Amino acid sequence: MELSEEQFRRYARHLILDEVGEEGQEKLLQSRVLVIGAGGLGSPLLMYLAAAGVGTIGIIDDDRVDITNLQRQIVHATQRIGDLKVDSARESLARINDGVTFELHPLRLDADNAADLIGRYDLVADGSDNFATRYLLNDICTRLKKPLVAAALSPFEGQLSTFKAYLGDGHPCYRCLFREPPPPGMVPRCEEAGILGAVAGVVGTLQAVEVLKEILGLGDSLDGTLLIYDALKVRFHRIRIAKDHECPTCGVAAFANHA
Ligand SMILES: [Zn+2]
């Protein structure tokens, strides 16, 4: 693939980095990333991925823009209240970079459609706000051997990790960390608990950095660790996640099944 004149100018600040260069930019342009949720995390994530020239971006979201979203979901706008979030997001993103192909999936990810959708992409970024989706993504991405960059929010805190449990020993999955989802209603979602909007911006932006690093093969991966951002105490912690060899998703027995 040859970069066009316009691409040379648009990505000039990537191209002058030894760590990216033409080869790295071409990798980004040829990559296919699936983003789950065009919400608080998905907004900055999508904007930076589009700006960086990730060639094809899939967006899954079945929701519509609501006025209560706009305090944190910065990819949307007041005039688009009532529109599908995938349409609203595409409008903003195409304004940032019209060289990106967007594949819109206005649906809810479930056990019936997940494998087919995820199978079409190189990497998945989870910005969803519910445990059913989080566990489903973990299980299917492990099975299909797709890297999963997953983030979660609480009112003043964010968590971020990358899962590549299909690589075997030393590579845990989300279920190694939390075997089962909490009982319904135990952990309130943003809608119920509230959130300082900019916290979603910090974590969604970190998520974008990790997605780009995974595609480019740059630096340290978060694989095997969990990054925790505490906004009130202004602290970042990074803790190690142990692989659970009994894990139903990525443990010994599970892998025998997958092979
Ligand atoms: Zn596991």
Side-chain angles (χ1 to χ4, degrees):
M1 136 178 232
E2 284 269 304
L3 295 181
S4 68
E5 188 83 7
E6 199 242 310
Q7 287 171 327
F8 267 106
R9 290 166 57 80
R10 178 181 289 274
Y11 304 116
R13 298 303 179 272
H14 275 168
L15 297 174
I16 55 173
L17 294 170
D18 289 339
E19 293 83 352
V20 183
E22 253 178 84
E23 200 186 320
Q25 189 60 51
E26 285 166 8
K27 261 191 214 163
L28 293 175
L29 288 164
Q30 284 165 350
S31 64
R32 299 176 51 84
V33 173
L34 180 63
V35 173
I36 321 297
L41 290 163
S43 288
L45 171 61
L46 286 163
M47 291 163 92
Y48 274 115
L49 295 183
V54 167
T56 305
I57 301 178
I59 313 172
I60 297 185
D61 200 309
D62 68 339
D63 213 357
R64 288 176 184 274
V65 180
D66 184 272
I67 192 167
T68 62
N69 301 149
L70 299 176
Q71 159 263 20
R72 63 195 180 285
Q73 301 184 12
I74 57 172
V75 79
H76 306 301
T78 308
Q79 314 85 272
R80 297 193 214 124
I81 290 169
D83 293 357
L84 279 169
K85 284 189 182 174
V86 289
D87 291 333
S88 165
R90 174 174 51 189
E91 200 175 321
S92 301
L93 299 171
R95 271 191 214 156
I96 295 171
N97 190 348
D98 60 1
V100 174
T101 301
F102 300 101
E103 297 179 350
L104 307 183
H105 308 288
L107 48 81
R108 207 168 178 78
L109 197 76
D110 61 32
D112 292 328
N113 61 26
D116 173 49
L117 281 163
I118 291 167
R120 300 182 216 168
Y121 295 87
D122 305 321
L123 181 150
V124 178
D126 180 17
S128 70
D129 61 354
N130 69 86
F131 285 98
T133 304
R134 207 167 292 164
Y135 280 83
L136 179 65
L137 282 172
N138 178 68
D139 296 351
I140 305 281
C141 287
T142 303
R143 180 152 63 83
L144 299 182
K145 300 186 165 62
K146 305 285 182 182
L148 170 65
V149 182
L153 296 168
S154 55
F156 297 100
E157 203 182 272
Q159 299 185 352
L160 182 65
S161 190
T162 297
F163 298 106
K164 295 192 269 191
Y166 49 85
L167 295 176
D169 252 358
H171 302 274
C173 79
Y174 187 71
R175 257 185 219 282
C176 293
L177 184 61
F178 303 112
R179 174 71 70 95
E180 296 294 337
M186 270 283 286
V187 181
R189 301 160 65 201
C190 285
E191 273 98 284
E192 300 134 22
I195 180 164
L196 193 68
V199 172
V202 171
V203 182
T205 303
L206 282 168
Q207 194 175 8
V209 174
E210 293 309 311
V211 169
L212 297 173
K213 280 170 56 195
E214 289 295 334
I215 297 168
L216 294 167
L218 280 188
D220 295 342
S221 172
L222 275 179
D223 178 18
T225 61
L226 179 72
L227 183 74
I228 300 165
Y229 167 54
D230 181 334
L232 293 180
K233 295 198 170 119
V234 208
R235 271 188 204 148
F236 285 92
H237 299 277
R238 196 169 159 197
I239 58 169
R240 199 165 288 283
I241 309 170
K243 183 151 180 121
D244 174 0
H245 290 279
E246 307 293 308
C247 173
T249 300
C250 75
V252 181
F255 253 75
N257 294 338
H258 295 167

